[in-house]
Amino acid sequence: IYTWRFLRRVPIADPRLSLPELEGFVVEDLGEVNEYQATLDGLQYQVSEFRKALFPQEEGTLTVPATSLQVRIAVENPRRRGRGIFEDFFGRTTTEPRVLRTPPLELTVRPLPAPPPGFSGLVGDFQLESRISKQELHVGESATLTYTISGKGNVQMISEPELPEIRAFKIYDDKPTSDLKRLNTGLSGAKSFRKALVPIVPVEITGPSVSLTYFDLESGSYRSTRSP
């Protein structure tokens, strides 16, 4: 999680933020800019903060370059000391330019172990569920089969699990639905894949099971889960 904060104790004007290109990362914004007050070393500051989730796409040492912020800050004009800093500031007679820069940040990105067959590309903590709208139906009638993958991590990378062949049915894909949550701690959410199953002959079957293989950060290993 990349966190950027700007702390100030004086009025400012004309802020211009320059964000660098983050090469080697997939970047996801975690909400809007948050404004709040904080106390540091006994002094109270107005704080502007935003966060981004960075997902490295290559191993080795990656650099988050410096950001720069150009602002004009209010300063007290000795020749107008009795009139007050806020009056001078809003009169646009006592502002000075400042350029603030953050130091660059270096990240060490380790490679994943050799993946097993069927690795989904997901890294984090994930679950797989399945359900069907009805378990008894007539020839030509439709039932909806739903697979849902949910969890925390690079959830924007969730893709449809491979469905085994279902004989004696016509299968129609429905549009997937997703629910992405952007939290201060990262991304979480779920994505559901739906299929309409239409039997073309009388048959009794066990609904197909699908599997999901992901890299679990807590255990540092690959895990596989299978729908019932």
Side-chain angles (χ1 to χ4, degrees):
I1 306 301
Y2 173 75
T3 304
W4 185 95
R5 294 189 184 98
F6 173 45
L7 296 86
R8 59 193 182 276
R9 297 182 57 234
V10 296
I12 65 167
D14 302 325
R16 299 181 183 181
L17 177 63
S18 297
L19 291 175
E21 293 290 333
L22 297 177
E23 297 182 0
F25 297 94
V26 170
V27 182
E28 295 285 348
D29 291 330
L30 299 180
E32 302 295 331
V33 176
N34 187 22
E35 301 280 352
Y36 60 93
Q37 292 186 339
T39 301
L40 181 65
D41 296 330
L43 300 176
Q44 192 166 18
Y45 291 83
Q46 182 69 26
V47 184
S48 301
E49 174 188 292
F50 65 79
R51 298 189 181 200
K52 296 178 180 290
L54 309 184
F55 298 92
Q57 301 300 296
E58 55 191 66
E59 61 186 81
T61 300
L62 298 182
T63 300
V64 178
T67 67
S68 64
L69 177 67
Q70 300 180 51
V71 296
R72 299 192 66 85
I73 68 169
V75 295
E76 188 172 2
N77 187 339
R79 291 175 297 179
R80 302 180 64 185
R81 190 182 302 273
R83 302 187 64 179
I85 185 173
F86 290 99
E87 183 178 346
D88 287 344
F89 172 68
F90 290 110
R92 298 183 180 274
T93 58
T94 56
T95 64
E96 293 182 358
R98 292 286 190 274
V99 178
L100 308 175
R101 289 185 176 88
T102 65
L105 304 172
E106 285 193 348
L107 287 79
T108 300
V109 183
R110 296 176 295 173
L112 292 175
F119 174 48
S120 64
L122 297 177
V123 178
D125 182 23
F126 292 89
Q127 300 83 41
L128 172 63
E129 298 176 348
S130 67
R131 64 182 183 274
I132 195 163
S133 61
K134 61 185 72 174
Q135 292 182 282
E136 292 185 5
L137 61 161
H138 296 88
V139 170
E141 189 180 359
S142 174
T144 300
L145 177 64
T146 303
Y147 294 102
T148 300
I149 299 174
S150 61
K152 181 179 179 181
N154 56 341
V155 295
Q156 78 278 33
M157 300 288 291
I158 293 176
S159 59
E160 184 173 2
E162 185 177 353
L163 184 68
E165 182 182 2
I166 307 176
R167 296 183 179 180
F169 282 81
K170 288 184 177 180
I171 302 175
Y172 302 92
D173 291 331
D174 198 355
K175 186 177 180 180
T177 59
S178 59
D179 178 22
L180 184 63
K181 295 181 174 62
R182 302 176 184 273
L183 309 174
N184 283 339
T185 53
L187 296 182
S188 65
K191 193 169 186 178
S192 295
F193 305 89
R194 295 180 176 85
K195 295 182 180 294
L197 307 183
V198 181
I200 55 179
V201 295
V203 67
E204 183 174 338
I205 67 166
T206 298
S209 176
V210 298
S211 64
L212 174 72
T213 300
Y214 65 95
F215 186 78
D216 179 60
L217 287 175
E218 186 173 347
S219 64
S221 61
Y222 292 97
R223 286 191 173 184
S224 294
T225 180
R226 181 169 287 276
S227 67

